[in-house]
Amino acid sequence: MILQADNLTVTRGGIPVLEGVGFALPPGRALVLRGPNGIGKTTLLRTVAGLQPPLKGTLTGAGERVAYAAHADGQKATLSVEENLRFWASVFGQAEIAPALAAYQLDGLRTRAAGQLSAGQKRRLGLARLMVTARPVWVLDEPTVSLDREAVAMFAEAVRAHLAGGGSALIATHIELGLDGDALDVTPFRARPAAADDFDEVFL
């Protein structure tokens, strides 16, 4: 199934930030969002992930098909690396965590508490969580933050494997990952500033 947005308007704090956004993301492909900081990439990703509704337009192929990873790594500090992954696997009705541990070289850290990990190790664990969801659409907001060059390569390889298996990925990043896909600059979709007469309406 294709993830598709048609004439989508998304808001931050009740105020439109992007309007008229359209894209189609088929299985096996990645779509990288480009644009300056603050333009609304995170807001768009949160909308696709179902964390907030669009103001206008339609979104199809998302819902329960989406696994979302943003700046919060979704970990319980007192649980070990293995326990965190097993928890998330159970949430999504899965059992196998070995591929996720191997993909991000976490085997040697499996008994360490998440709260004792470095920032880069926490990010690797947070990204490994995607692999135990079994969801076909990965929605990723700046996933390479805190990763060194080696870990970025691990992430890119994990995404390539996901695409090869028929998954898709929508990613906001400024890093070139060498993925099989396209880029979408959201700058042309920047919403027009609200007119003075419209000011009260954005809070209704």
Side-chain angles (χ1 to χ4, degrees):
M1 179 183 293
I2 294 176
L3 173 66
Q4 185 161 333
D6 292 297
N7 198 32
L8 210 62
T9 296
V10 299
T11 63
R12 183 170 56 231
I15 299 174
V17 290
L18 296 173
E19 57 187 6
V21 178
F23 62 80
L25 177 58
R29 301 283 290 177
L31 180 63
V32 176
L33 300 182
R34 305 290 193 194
N37 291 335
I39 196 170
K41 298 186 298 294
T42 292
T43 302
L44 177 58
L45 293 177
R46 286 176 54 84
T47 302
V48 173
L51 299 180
Q52 63 182 67
L55 181 64
K56 296 178 182 176
T58 59
L59 183 66
T60 56
E64 294 299 314
R65 302 178 69 245
V66 169
Y68 177 61
H71 302 286
D73 290 319
Q75 301 160 18
K76 188 167 180 61
T78 56
L79 295 183
S80 69
V81 166
E82 180 174 357
E83 289 168 336
N84 270 284
L85 281 179
R86 290 202 181 282
F87 168 78
W88 282 110
S90 68
V91 167
F92 291 96
Q94 306 300 308
E96 186 59 71
I97 67 167
L101 288 168
Y104 288 95
Q105 297 183 13
L106 293 169
D107 275 303
L109 299 169
R110 63 192 305 155
T111 61
R112 185 175 299 182
Q116 297 176 348
L117 300 176
S118 70
Q121 291 167 339
K122 287 178 180 177
R123 174 60 64 163
R124 281 157 52 197
L125 175 56
L127 293 171
R129 176 170 52 92
L130 294 167
M131 297 181 63
V132 303
T133 66
R135 292 196 165 182
V137 181
W138 289 0
V139 175
L140 310 169
D141 191 5
E142 298 293 348
T144 61
V145 171
S146 299
L147 296 183
D148 59 21
R149 183 178 301 178
E150 183 180 6
V152 169
M154 293 178 203
F155 166 71
E157 181 56 35
V159 176
R160 280 192 287 268
H162 178 65
L163 302 182
S168 58
L170 180 64
I171 310 172
T173 182
H174 298 286
I175 303 296
E176 180 54 55
L177 297 169
L179 300 176
D180 186 12
D182 303 298
L184 174 66
D185 186 348
V186 299
T187 305
F189 302 106
R190 189 195 303 265
R192 66 174 180 82
D197 291 343
D198 298 335
F199 184 77
D200 289 338
E201 295 181 10
V202 301
F203 297 99
L204 296 180

